[in-house]
Amino acid sequence: MSIAENIAEINKKITAAAEKSGRKREDILLLAVTKTIDIPRIKEVTELGYTELGENKVQEIMSKYDELDGVQWHLIGHLQTNKVKYIADKVKMIHSVDSLKLGTEISKRCGQCGRIMDILVEINIAGEEAKHGVPLDMAEKLACELAKLENIRVRGLMTVAPYDPEPENNRKYFKNMYKLFIDIKSKRYDNINMEYLSMGMTNDYEAQI
Ligand SMILES: *Cc1c(COP(=O)(O)O)cnc(C)c1O
């Protein structure tokens, strides 16, 4: 299948999953993850109108940045504090904020380039040792601390669920994420707008929706 055919297929599945759960297609963002993918293939995607792209490495965003126009980059992978300076002016959103130290550096660097960064709080939903993110019960506190930083806007939550060949097994994690998302949203904290719940991967996005 071509990339265009693949995306059409994914769109059908997104629409079906949305309808099944009483949601609207336009409330779901299809973020094309382009790590390890070369520029010509990425252009096939952006030319179809999918211009929100996810990368998990700072270096890879930097090397692709000048090669592509009209793209909104999302950093979805772990971010080291000493690398924030390289992407503060390049990415639309950082999905992987899991400490106040990292948030403070993001706020500082964004202040220097005169912008505000949209961020998500990363949660280690299954308590996996090899994964980044804060435990579920620490996320609200961290979100509130991050919201006090001047050049940050808290826009939601992110998690990378455990890999499971049967994605239905991850529903319990998606439910817990959603519960917390709704709970924080209902409290209407200053500078916390719960709008994004970033969780889906290629093998589980239908269950996630
Ligand atoms: C690679 C990656 C994805 C996408 O995973 P696929 O299974 O390739 O869709 C999602 N989130 C993060 C953090 C990733 O690094």
Side-chain angles (χ1 to χ4, degrees), residues 33 35 56 76-77 158 160 200-203:
V33 176
K35 64 188 180 208
N56 67 343
I76 59 176
M158 182 274 232
V160 179
M201 312 266 281
T202 298
N203 79 317

Side-chain angles (χ1 to χ4, degrees), residues 10-144:
I10 291 166
N11 260 318
K12 255 194 244 163
K13 289 184 182 171
I14 291 176
T15 304
E19 278 171 4
K20 201 174 142 190
S21 51
R23 302 184 63 197
K24 292 196 218 102
R25 169 64 185 91
E26 60 266 32
D27 290 343
I28 293 151
L29 172 67
L30 170 53
L31 182 66
V33 176
T34 51
K35 64 188 180 208
T36 76
I37 307 297
D38 60 28
I39 300 294
R41 287 184 70 207
I42 296 175
K43 282 188 175 162
E44 286 189 51
V45 175
T46 54
E47 280 161 14
L48 291 164
Y50 296 91
T51 55
E52 306 228 18
L53 307 181
E55 285 283 347
N56 67 343
K57 292 202 176 108
V58 166
Q59 187 53 48
E60 219 170 321
I61 291 180
M62 289 171 67
S63 70
K64 289 171 178 172
Y65 189 78
D66 287 331
E67 306 287 323
L68 293 156
D69 289 326
V71 163
Q72 296 88 48
W73 292 103
H74 293 244
L75 183 75
I76 59 176
H78 180 62
L79 176 58
Q80 283 173 293
T81 306
N82 62 2
K83 293 195 176 157
V84 172
K85 56 180 175 285
Y86 302 120
I87 53 149
D89 61 340
K90 294 187 175 61
V91 306
K92 176 187 177 186
M93 187 183 282
I94 298 173
H95 291 225
S96 48
V97 179
D98 63 356
S99 71
L100 183 58
K101 178 170 169 254
L102 176 58
T104 302
E105 176 67 7
I106 294 169
S107 184
K108 177 181 140 193
R109 295 291 177 178
C110 286
Q112 289 168 354
C113 46
R115 64 165 297 192
I116 294 174
M117 181 69 77
D118 287 337
I119 63 119
L120 307 181
V121 176
E122 181 174 358
I123 294 173
N124 185 349
I125 191 65
E128 292 173 281
E129 214 151 284
K131 287 216 172 121
H132 295 282
V134 290
L136 190 71
D137 61 3
M138 303 273 287
E140 184 169 347
K141 180 167 170 276
L142 177 59
C144 290

